[in-house]
């Protein structure tokens, strides 16, 4: 297990920012940490990286308790904090060499060159960080996070404020890096987790409200909706005999059927058609977006 968070609490004064949350991130996974602003994402990430202490509970990274073993855990964690704070007056290479030295990286020059190549900073490598576009600054942020070859990467809103092209580039980069590492990234953008992540942990008002794969979340948390078109006329009362159906509506030549059951509604419809000698012309599951799942979970 790369990250183990158990019954974590964090208070700022009287205010509980994180309330009794638990989740694990397995080695090699890319997990999206999703939640509205103020939900507790940054706070949780700061505790995991050892930047702030927990008020209660425990966090282990690569089996080591962060609160006890902060120096060793920092060595296995790469962290891109929110808003990617960088030294704007430093040159790209100079800054990366500086970070590499802090982590006691051997062969600093080679490692910096390797990172510059990996994140695609060759063209900009001789510039001051302050002269870079936001997308390139984000590449510098990613390079500094992985320069010591950590097993775990914690990325706090890594794509916020990027234009669509930069966004696609940085997402691609995170996916590439994620092939080798365990990644936990926070975001409030739904498409981001759909595009990058294996699993999603959703936090709302300091509490975990979901922890699942994107596909299972969509299946579990919402009604299933299926569109079906039969050959010939089929009456509403007849269709109502499909036990799992909770709602039924005629749309064009077909029907929209909803179910709250776990079993795939398409199977039931197929069985119904077979038993009633009906021919199915169209049978399509209507996908609910993660956006809808998120809304339904965080508005509870
Ligand atoms: P998110 O990253 O999901 O936007 P945060 O972890 O930044 O959420 O914040 C969670 C809650 O804790 C918010 O209500 C925020 O105002 C509060 N908070 C965050 N940092 C501090 C701090 N340093 N002092 C006091 N309250 C804070």
């Amino acid at each position: 297990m790369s990250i183990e968070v158990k019954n974590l609490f964090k208070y700022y004064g009287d205010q509980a920012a994180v309330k009794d949350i638990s989740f694990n991130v397995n080695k090699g996974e890319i997990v999206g940490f999703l939640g509205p602003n103020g939900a507790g994402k940054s706070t949780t990430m700061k505790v995991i990286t050892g930047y702030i202490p927990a008020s209660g509970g425990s966090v282990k990274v690569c089996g080591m308790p962060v609160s006890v073993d902060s120096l060793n855990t920092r060595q296995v964690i790469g962290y891109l904090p929110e808003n990617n704070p960088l030294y704007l007056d430093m040159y790209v290479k100079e800054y990366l060499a500086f970070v590499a030295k802090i982590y006691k990286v051997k062969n600093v020059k080679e490692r910096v060159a390797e990172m510059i190549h990996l994140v695609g900073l060759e063209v900009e490598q001789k510039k001051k960080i302050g002269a870079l576009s936001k997308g390139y600054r984000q590449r510098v942020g990613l390079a500094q996070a992985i320069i010591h070859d950590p097993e775990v990467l914690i990325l706090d809103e890594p794509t916020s404020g990027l234009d669509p092209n930069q966004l696609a580039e940085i997402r691609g980069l995170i996916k590439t890096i994620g092939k080798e590492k365990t990644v936990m990234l926070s975001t409030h953008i739904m498409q981001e987790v759909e595009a990058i992540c294996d699993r999603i942990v959703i936090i709302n008002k300091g509490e975990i409200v979901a922890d699942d794969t994107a596909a299972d979340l969509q299946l579990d948390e919402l009604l299933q909706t299926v569109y079906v078109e039969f050959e010939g006329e089929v009456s509403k009362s007849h269709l109502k005999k499909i036990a799992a159906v909770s709602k039924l509506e005629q749309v064009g030549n077909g029907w929209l059927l909803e179910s709250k059951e776990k079993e795939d509604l398409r199977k039931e419809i197929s069985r119904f058609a077979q038993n009633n000698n009906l021919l199915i012309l169209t049978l399509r599951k209507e996908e609910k977006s993660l956006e809808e799942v998120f809304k339904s979970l965080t508005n509870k």
Side-chain angles (χ1 to χ4, degrees):
M1 203 79 73
S2 289
I3 305 173
E4 291 173 74
V5 175
K6 232 182 198 168
N7 304 115
L8 178 70
F9 282 87
K10 177 67 191 178
Y11 288 93
Y12 294 111
D14 293 341
Q15 189 202 349
V18 169
K19 298 173 230 173
D20 198 13
I21 66 169
S22 301
F23 61 88
N24 296 324
V25 181
N26 300 314
K27 196 169 171 180
E29 267 189 315
I30 304 186
V31 169
F33 197 35
L34 199 65
N37 286 326
K41 302 182 295 294
S42 293
T43 300
T44 306
M45 292 181 138
K46 283 180 194 159
V47 176
I48 294 172
T49 52
Y51 276 74
I52 55 171
S55 310
S58 68
V59 176
K60 281 186 189 167
V61 176
C62 301
M64 299 178 280
V66 172
S67 58
V68 183
D69 232 345
S70 169
L71 275 183
N72 283 328
T73 48
R74 282 183 200 213
Q75 203 65 35
V76 295
I77 298 174
Y79 179 35
L80 177 63
E82 200 181 8
N83 304 321
N84 186 16
L86 293 168
Y87 294 109
L88 301 183
D89 277 334
M90 284 180 100
Y91 290 91
V92 172
K93 276 178 156 176
E94 181 194 12
Y95 173 67
L96 291 177
F98 166 70
V99 177
K101 282 177 198 155
I102 292 176
Y103 284 110
K104 301 192 168 64
V105 168
K106 289 180 194 121
N107 307 323
V108 170
K109 215 172 156 191
E110 287 81 3
R111 188 67 185 156
V112 168
E114 215 179 305
M115 288 302 101
I116 283 175
H117 175 68
L118 178 68
V119 304
L121 266 170
E122 281 103 339
V123 189
E124 308 281 356
Q125 62 179 306
K126 298 211 166 108
K127 288 189 181 168
K128 273 191 176 181
I129 293 171
L132 301 181
S133 69
K134 179 117 194 187
Y136 277 101
R137 284 186 200 183
Q138 217 62 5
R139 289 168 195 245
V140 176
L142 281 171
Q144 67 76 31
I146 54 176
I147 199 150
H148 54 301
D149 197 20
E151 184 181 318
V152 176
L153 257 188
I154 307 282
L155 310 174
D156 197 351
E157 308 239 354
T159 59
S160 79
L162 299 182
D163 72 32
N165 289 336
Q166 296 168 334
L167 207 100
E169 285 164 13
I170 296 297
R171 279 182 192 161
L173 198 53
I174 293 171
K175 267 194 127 163
T176 307
I177 297 169
K179 288 192 182 131
E180 313 271 308
K181 315 222 168 275
T182 305
V183 180
M184 181 174 177
L185 68 95
S186 74
T187 178
H188 55 267
I189 310 166
M190 216 60 52
Q191 293 86 336
E192 191 132 292
V193 285
E194 281 180 309
I196 313 181
C197 303
D198 307 316
R199 195 156 58 85
I200 305 168
V201 175
I202 301 183
I203 184 169
N204 188 43
K205 296 182 184 147
E207 294 178 60
I208 304 283
V209 291
D211 180 349
D212 223 327
T213 60
D216 282 349
L217 259 183
Q218 282 160 291
L219 205 74
D220 284 355
E221 298 298 334
L222 276 184
L223 302 164
Q224 300 179 59
T225 306
V226 171
Y227 175 80
V228 61
E229 216 178 302
F230 298 100
E231 192 184 52
E233 287 282 308
V234 182
S235 70
K236 191 167 184 172
S237 56
H238 199 181
L239 282 172
K240 274 186 179 163
K241 293 195 174 119
I242 305 173
V245 170
S246 56
K247 204 174 150 192
L248 193 56
E249 184 192 346
Q250 186 151 26
V251 179
N253 294 326
W255 295 86
L256 268 183
L257 283 78
E258 280 185 8
S259 162
K260 289 175 184 162
E261 305 290 324
K262 266 227 152 156
E263 194 188 21
D264 192 331
L265 183 55
R266 288 172 302 181
K267 284 192 200 167
E268 279 239 28
I269 295 169
S270 301
R271 278 197 289 267
F272 169 82
Q274 203 173 19
N275 294 340
N276 294 279
N277 286 324
L278 292 166
L279 204 60
I280 294 177
L281 299 178
T282 311
L283 183 60
R284 184 178 65 231
K285 195 155 129 192
E286 304 286 305
E287 296 289 338
K288 301 274 178 174
S289 71
L290 267 179
E291 195 109 20
E292 291 169 84
V293 177
F294 180 72
K295 270 191 203 152
S296 81
L297 286 168
T298 55
N299 285 334
K300 265 181 194 164

